[in-house]
């Protein structure tokens, strides 16, 4: 840090917070937290008094309230989560300056604390000498912005190409000005990554890449949207956790909220919301789920809502997300046991897929943590058990009692177990791939890396992989380029060893990593579309005391993100049967890829999509969207064109369109 940054910070505090001789500033933050310097600077350098107290008197709630009353505190800076746990009595910080900082502040907190006080929202990373922006005094139950730049600071909201974005468009916040730190001590690489050249100021000027996503409001203030690195992937969709938190924070019964992505069940990542209700009120998780679903697409609705008395805090007064408890995806108190064989089978399937001990027939699939991806696994397992249902059935009949009334038993004829052999029509997406990836269509793979148990039975694993090739016919697909056209053919079941064993026990950990990467590259590069199967595996033996790993690679023409879940599920089932030396039985097959491709071709040939041709033809002729300050660019580069939509257009895009087409906003 530099002295000029401290001088700018003090000038901001004196001018914007009206602190000086006669003021009494609370020292709340731990000395390990940058906010402690903010308080020391405000108190000691402005001529004010600094109120210092032992830790037990700074505890959220009545101890903190009593402290500020007794010592007549005029200026206090506290995190929103601490404020949420403290009663806003008329004698607590009355007519004082209350600064909230460290985390996003909810509308409910502003409504409760802004009356009778000068409440200000502050924002800033340590790298900007603690504070970068401040709001004007807040009023009313509205989600606050993070304000305007402090003295001698400048804010830039930029896209990935470091170009300014228009008002209302989200971008990453870059901070410039006198308050910037010189860098990280003895960490030149990190300094170069976070402190970058500023193209908007004089040569040599720098700006700090905050990692925060914000946007300019029409009134000239910045609005915080979340962290750029706070983005997670849920079922293939990118989700901003801050966006989910903002919706929940707007609920009148929620005082504070934190949303995280948890993977308590291997391979199943779920959103979990932790909410603290408004004082003397309670919130119903079901009502919160319904409220969130009105504003967000289905994949952004948390799978579980955990109601807490308060969010756990770390030493700096921020939410300790690592200390948030695991949700209990369990049945409601009024458990109703299955009453028929169909209900029993469905209950067992649900419990296995959802990772819970038991499921009652009146329990809601989605309230137990279910989602559209898990519903596919339910359908697969139910069909193996001899019950026919679809994912749509699960969305329409969300309890076992309701679902059991519409499922049907699968006729156990021999056709469902026969291997599919012969020509298969190319689907439209396959045609597109083969037409556009002409240089090397053989290399377009997906892979997954599996951590295995110590007691691996390699013979059983080989049998299980063989069973996958028999059960999932598409893995045996062959693609050939004949007479200027690509053709697809389902090959018969033939003896083939797809498992490659790699003994790396004689190598050290560094060499093992390098060799594993080289082998993985070789496996990916070895695919030939004309030589099925299009699934390969490599088993890595790292030596005694270390678990083996399994690399599975498949060409994207025959597998996608959803089918991996089913393949892994079947691989585990087949492996367990092989270990017990049983005949491997993965149940009856579902609709084959061949039948799906044929029906799709027939559907198109029958003219069922002809009514959309005019629309898509006109879309190709649509004019270019206008841009501000258009710049000439080399042809062939991707372009991003920011467009500001009205409130009505935004509502239609986020809510109406996904509802009509039964899809997520990413697909729209």
């Amino acid at each position: 840090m530099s002295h000029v940054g401290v001088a700018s910070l003090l000038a901001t505090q004196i001018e914007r917070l009206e602190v000086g001789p006669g003021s009494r500033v609370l020292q709340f933050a731990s000395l390990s937290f940058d906010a402690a310097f903010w308080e020391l600077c405000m108190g000691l350098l402005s001529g004010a008094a600094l109120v210092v107290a032992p830790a037990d008197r700074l505890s959220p709630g009545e101890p903190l309230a009593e402290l500020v009353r007794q010592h007549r505190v005029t200026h206090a800076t506290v995190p929103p989560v601490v404020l949420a746990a403290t009663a806003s009595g008329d004698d607590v910080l009355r007519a004082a300056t209350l600064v909230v900082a460290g985390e996003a502040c909810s509308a409910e907190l502003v409504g409760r604390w802004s009356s009778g006080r000068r409440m200000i929202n502050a924002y800033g990373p340590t790298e900007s000498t603690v504070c970068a922006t401040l709001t004007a005094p807040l009023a009313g139950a509205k989600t606050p912005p993070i304000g305007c730049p402090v003295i001698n600071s400048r804010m830039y909201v930029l896209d990935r190409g470091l170009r300014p974005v228009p008002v209302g468009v989200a971008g990453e916040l870059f901070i410039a000005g006198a308050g910037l730190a010189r860098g990280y001590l003895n960490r030149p690489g990190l300094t170069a990554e976070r402190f970058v050249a500023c193209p908007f100021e004089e040569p040599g000027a720098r700006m700090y890449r905050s990692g925060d996503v914000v946007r300019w409001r029409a009134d000239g203030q910045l609005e915080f949207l979340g962290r750029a690195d706070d983005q997670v992937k849920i079922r293939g969709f990118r989700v901003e956790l801050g966006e989910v938190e903002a919706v929940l924070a707007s609920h009148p019964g929620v005082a504070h909220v934190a949303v995280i992505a948890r993977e308590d069940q291997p391979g199943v990542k779920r959103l979990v919301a932790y909410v603290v209700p408004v004082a003397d009120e309670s919130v119903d998780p079901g009502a919160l789920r319904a409220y969130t679903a009105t504003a967000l697409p289905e994949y952004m609705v948390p799978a579980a809502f955990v109601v807490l008395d308060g969010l756990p805090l770390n030493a700096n007064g921020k939410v300790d997300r690592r200390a948030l408890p695991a949700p209990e995806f369990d049945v409601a108190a009024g458990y109703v046991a299955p009453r028929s064989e169909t209900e029993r089978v469905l209950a067992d399937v649900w419990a296995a897929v959802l990772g819970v001990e038991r499921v009652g027939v009146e329990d809601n699939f989605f309230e137990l943590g279910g989602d559209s991806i898990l519903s596919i696994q339910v359908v697969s397992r139910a069909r193996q058990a001899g019950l026919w249902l679809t994912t749509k059935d699960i969305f329409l009949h969300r309890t076992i009692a309701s679902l059991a009334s519409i499922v049907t038993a699968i006729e156990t004829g021999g056709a469902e177990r026969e291997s599919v052999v012969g020509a298969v029509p190319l689907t439209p997406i396959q045609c597109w791939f083969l037409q556009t990836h002409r240089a090397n269509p053989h290399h377009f793979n997906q892979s997954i890396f599996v951590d295995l148990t110590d007691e691996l039975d390699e013979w059983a694993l080989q049998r299980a992989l063989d069973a996958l090739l028999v059960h999932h016919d598409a893995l045996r697909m062959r693609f050939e380029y004949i007479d200027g056209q690509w053709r697809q053919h389902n090959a018969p079941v033939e003896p083939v060893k797809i498992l490659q064993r790699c003994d790396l026990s004689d190598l050290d950990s560094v060499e093992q990593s390098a060799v594993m990467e080289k082998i993985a590259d070789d496996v990916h590069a070895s695919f030939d579309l004309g030589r099925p199967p299009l699934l390969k595996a490599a088993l890595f033996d790292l030596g005694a005391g270390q678990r083996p790993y399994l690399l599975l690679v498949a060409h994207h023409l025959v597998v996608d993100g959803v089918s991996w879940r089913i393949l892994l599920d079947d691989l585990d089932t087949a492996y367990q049967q092989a270990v017990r030396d049983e005949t491997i039985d993965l149940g009856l097959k579902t609709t084959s890829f061949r039948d799906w491709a044929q029906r799709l071709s027939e559907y198109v040939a029958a003219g069922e999509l002809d009514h959309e041709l005019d629309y898509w033809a006109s879309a190709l002729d649509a004019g270019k969207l206008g841009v501000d300050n258009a710049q000439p660019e080399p042809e062939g580069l991707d372009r991003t064109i920011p467009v500001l939509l009205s409130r009505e257009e935004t509502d239609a895009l986020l809510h109406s369109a996904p509802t009509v087409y039964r899809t997520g906003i990413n697909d729209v």
Side-chain angles (χ1 to χ4, degrees):
M1 297 297 177
S2 66
H3 285 176
V4 67
V6 177
S8 298
L9 177 65
L10 178 60
T12 297
Q13 292 173 329
I14 293 173
E15 178 183 305
R16 303 272 287 271
L17 303 183
E18 299 179 4
V19 65
S23 300
R24 302 177 66 81
V25 178
L26 176 66
Q27 178 69 44
F28 176 82
S30 163
L31 289 177
S32 63
F33 188 33
D34 63 353
F37 181 77
W38 158 272
E39 293 164 339
L40 288 169
C41 181
M42 188 192 310
L44 301 183
L45 300 186
S46 70
L50 193 66
V51 178
V52 182
D56 60 329
R57 299 204 63 191
L58 295 172
S59 299
E62 185 54 31
L64 179 61
E66 176 60 26
L67 175 67
V68 299
R69 279 194 297 261
Q70 179 182 348
H71 291 279
R72 304 185 307 282
V73 170
T74 64
H75 291 73
T77 303
V78 294
V81 68
V82 173
L83 209 58
T86 306
S88 55
D90 291 340
D91 58 345
V92 180
L93 295 173
R94 191 68 182 174
T97 297
L98 173 61
V99 180
V100 286
E103 292 183 316
C105 182
S106 68
E108 185 274 336
L109 278 182
V110 177
R112 179 149 62 95
W113 282 92
S114 60
S115 178
R117 302 169 186 84
R118 195 163 178 267
M119 186 178 185
I120 290 173
N121 194 26
Y123 161 86
T126 305
E127 291 83 352
S128 65
T129 314
V130 185
C131 186
T133 64
L134 287 173
T135 66
L138 304 171
K142 300 177 182 177
T143 302
I146 59 174
C148 304
V150 300
I151 293 174
N152 292 330
S153 288
R154 293 167 296 281
M155 306 294 127
Y156 299 100
V157 183
L158 310 178
D159 62 16
R160 293 183 179 180
L162 299 186
R163 295 167 296 197
V165 299
V167 173
V169 175
E172 185 174 356
L173 178 63
F174 287 75
I175 303 172
L180 280 195
R182 292 173 178 170
Y184 301 102
L185 183 64
N186 298 326
R187 301 188 70 181
L190 183 60
T191 297
E193 176 186 343
R194 306 306 296 182
F195 293 87
V196 298
C198 179
F200 313 106
E201 300 182 7
E202 67 278 0
R206 300 177 309 146
M207 57 185 183
Y208 171 68
R209 182 191 297 269
S210 72
D212 290 325
V213 179
V214 302
R215 63 184 170 203
W216 286 110
R217 301 197 326 183
D219 61 2
Q221 298 198 79
L222 287 167
E223 180 180 353
F224 179 81
L225 301 177
R227 287 284 301 168
D229 55 5
D230 210 15
Q231 190 183 79
V232 298
K233 263 202 169 185
I234 301 293
R235 291 142 47 196
F237 295 103
R238 290 184 176 88
V239 175
E240 295 284 356
L241 297 180
E243 187 175 354
V244 183
E245 290 178 344
V247 170
L248 281 168
S250 67
H251 189 282
V254 173
H256 209 72
V257 60
V259 177
I260 63 174
R262 299 188 67 105
E263 194 171 346
D264 299 304
Q265 185 179 349
V268 180
K269 186 177 289 185
R270 294 162 168 162
L271 290 181
V272 179
Y274 299 85
V275 296
V276 177
V278 171
D280 301 324
E281 292 190 21
S282 60
V283 291
D284 175 46
L288 289 178
R289 184 187 307 279
Y291 179 83
T292 311
T294 62
L296 297 172
E298 180 266 336
Y299 64 87
M300 293 182 70
V301 177
F305 292 81
V306 181
V307 180
L308 303 173
D309 294 331
L311 297 177
L313 307 180
N314 57 26
N316 297 329
K318 292 190 175 185
V319 175
D320 186 355
R321 295 177 183 267
R322 295 182 180 179
L324 291 168
E328 294 184 1
F329 292 100
D330 210 343
V331 298
Y335 170 75
V336 179
R339 297 156 298 198
S340 67
E341 180 62 17
T342 298
E343 289 184 345
R344 186 195 64 75
V345 171
L346 289 175
D348 290 344
V349 168
W350 282 26
V353 171
L354 296 172
V356 298
E357 183 177 349
R358 65 177 187 176
V359 176
V361 297
E362 298 296 341
D363 296 315
N364 188 298
F365 177 75
F366 296 95
E367 292 180 3
L368 293 179
D371 54 46
S372 58
I373 298 299
L374 292 179
S375 72
I376 296 175
Q377 291 182 258
V378 168
V379 169
S380 176
R381 292 199 181 199
R383 292 181 181 176
Q384 290 177 13
L387 297 180
W388 177 268
L389 71 157
T390 66
T391 55
K392 181 180 179 181
D393 293 332
I394 298 175
F395 276 82
L396 295 177
H397 304 274
R398 301 188 173 201
T399 67
I400 289 175
S402 176
L403 188 63
S405 65
I406 59 94
V407 300
T408 57
I410 299 176
E411 296 294 333
T412 57
E416 290 82 358
R417 294 184 180 273
E418 293 180 358
S419 297
V420 175
V421 179
V424 178
L426 292 169
T427 63
I429 191 64
Q430 288 180 319
C431 290
W432 170 85
F433 169 80
L434 293 169
Q435 290 169 1
T436 56
H437 292 71
R438 298 182 178 181
N440 185 14
H442 308 282
H443 184 59
F444 193 73
N445 311 327
Q446 288 190 335
S447 61
I448 193 165
F449 206 50
V450 184
D451 186 1
L452 302 176
T453 62
D454 296 328
E455 303 80 18
L456 176 71
D457 185 330
E458 186 177 339
W459 175 81
L461 177 60
Q462 180 64 61
R463 282 191 63 200
L465 289 169
D466 291 342
L468 284 189
L469 298 180
V470 174
H471 192 72
H472 296 280
D473 301 288
L475 296 176
R476 307 190 310 276
M477 210 65 77
R478 176 191 298 122
F479 296 86
E480 297 173 307
Y481 192 67
I482 302 174
D483 298 331
Q485 288 187 329
W486 281 97
R487 302 183 187 277
Q488 181 175 209
H489 183 89
N490 220 141
V493 177
E494 296 176 342
V496 59
K497 186 174 182 179
I498 65 171
L499 181 63
Q500 172 187 352
R501 187 178 188 280
C502 309
D503 186 356
L504 310 182
S505 57
D506 293 336
L507 306 178
D508 61 34
S509 59
V510 176
E511 292 175 318
Q512 285 178 344
S513 296
V515 173
M516 288 169 70
E517 183 175 351
K518 174 62 168 60
I519 292 173
D521 289 342
D522 291 342
V523 172
H524 277 278
S526 67
F527 277 78
D528 182 345
L529 292 178
R531 297 176 60 189
L534 298 183
L535 172 71
K536 298 190 178 185
L539 176 62
F540 297 102
D541 180 2
L542 305 184
Q546 298 190 70
R547 288 188 172 187
Y549 289 95
L550 177 67
L551 173 69
L552 295 172
V553 185
H555 199 282
H556 201 8
L557 279 170
V558 299
V559 76
D560 61 16
V562 175
S563 48
W564 273 116
R565 295 173 180 264
I566 298 174
L567 287 174
L568 290 176
D569 198 16
D570 284 352
L571 180 62
D572 179 63
T573 299
Y575 175 79
Q576 299 300 334
Q577 293 174 347
V579 167
R580 296 190 298 266
D581 201 22
E582 299 174 359
T583 300
I584 295 179
D585 184 1
L586 295 178
L588 301 178
K589 292 183 178 181
T590 56
T591 303
S592 69
F593 184 82
R594 178 194 61 188
D595 292 346
W596 158 253
Q598 288 176 343
R599 292 175 190 176
L600 183 61
S601 299
E602 293 167 359
Y603 187 77
V604 174
E608 298 293 340
L609 296 176
D610 289 356
H611 63 285
E612 296 188 9
L613 286 175
D614 291 341
Y615 171 81
W616 291 110
S618 64
L620 292 174
D621 298 329
K624 294 183 178 180
L625 292 173
V627 297
D628 295 332
N629 304 317
Q631 299 293 326
E633 295 182 2
E635 291 297 326
L637 293 181
D638 292 338
R639 303 184 184 186
T640 300
I641 303 176
V643 178
L644 185 61
L645 303 180
S646 68
R647 181 183 297 272
E648 293 75 17
E649 291 169 331
T650 302
D651 182 72
L653 178 64
L654 292 178
H655 305 129
S656 302
T659 300
V660 170
Y661 293 103
R662 296 177 182 176
T663 185
I665 182 61
N666 290 26
D667 296 315
V668 174

